Amino acid sequence: MKKFMTLLLGLVALPLAMTSCDDDNDLPDVDVTVTFDNATKAEDGSMYIVKGNPISVSSIEVTNREAGKKAIATAAIYYLDGVRIGASVVSPLAFSFPTENLEVGDYDFNIELEILAVDKTPAFGIVGYKLHIVETADDIPGGETPEAPAQSVGHIQLHAK
């Protein structure tokens, strides 16, 4: 009889265990602002860095597009040409990577972000940049070195975590 009651209790609990919330894939709608030091932003959104200066992200900020609700990035993983080069889990998710040993040329620089927002499913997304390492500041379009940090603001496509 005891086994029968345990089995019956398990069958009653099964539908409750298999039920999910209707908002499991209710992803955040956010904008991300990435601030680069030592970089010059081109009109096409790519970044230029003079060889010898580090790839330096001073902060990553997340803004919830849903008014009155907060959102944050809890972690950032940094990639250069698909190779993980670092991570940060402490706000403002700053990161620096030396360029002395990189060849002059073009690279893909990506940041994978974990995003949490009020009343939304935890998510992740990737912010990507074309990064140009140049020999001198004269090789930067306009021939200018950065006087202020370069900022990139954009909407990010998220996926359920």
Side-chain angles (χ1 to χ4, degrees), residues 111-127:
I111 308 167
E112 181 180 327
L113 299 169
E114 283 187 7
I115 306 288
L116 298 178
V118 173
D119 298 330
K120 300 294 181 178
T121 300
F124 76 95
I126 297 176
V127 180

Side-chain angles (χ1 to χ4, degrees), residues 20-27 119-121:
S20 66
C21 298
D22 63 351
D23 64 351
D24 277 352
N25 289 319
D26 189 11
L27 298 174
D119 298 330
K120 300 294 181 178
T121 300

Side-chain angles (χ1 to χ4, degrees), residues 10 27-28 41 46 76 82 84-85 93 95 123 126 128 135 138-139 152 160:
L27 298 174
K41 183 178 175 185
S46 63
R84 182 180 170 159
I85 57 172
L93 303 176
F95 172 76
I126 297 176
E135 195 67 47
D138 294 334
D139 299 324
S152 174

Side-chain angles (χ1 to χ4, degrees), residues 17-133:
M18 300 303 279
T19 303
S20 66
C21 298
D22 63 351
D23 64 351
D24 277 352
N25 289 319
D26 189 11
L27 298 174
D29 186 16
V30 298
D31 289 327
V32 175
T33 303
V34 180
T35 303
F36 289 84
D37 293 330
N38 300 326
T40 301
K41 183 178 175 185
E43 287 182 20
D44 65 0
S46 63
M47 297 291 177
Y48 284 82
I49 296 177
V50 176
K51 184 175 178 161
N53 291 334
I55 300 168
S56 180
V57 173
S58 59
S59 68
I60 298 175
E61 295 177 24
V62 176
T63 305
N64 197 336
R65 297 177 87 184
E66 195 172 334
K69 296 201 176 179
K70 299 263 185 201
I72 61 168
T74 60
I77 303 171
Y78 297 89
Y79 298 89
L80 189 63
D81 280 349
V83 176
R84 182 180 170 159
I85 57 172
S88 180
V89 294
V90 178
S91 184
L93 303 176
F95 172 76
S96 185
F97 185 77
T99 62
E100 291 88 10
N101 294 324
L102 294 178
E103 297 291 326
V104 169
D106 299 337
Y107 297 88
D108 290 319
F109 181 67
N110 296 303
I111 308 167
E112 181 180 327
L113 299 169
E114 283 187 7
I115 306 288
L116 298 178
V118 173
D119 298 330
K120 300 294 181 178
T121 300
F124 76 95
I126 297 176
V127 180
Y129 301 93
K130 181 57 79 177
L131 182 65
H132 308 281
I133 304 295

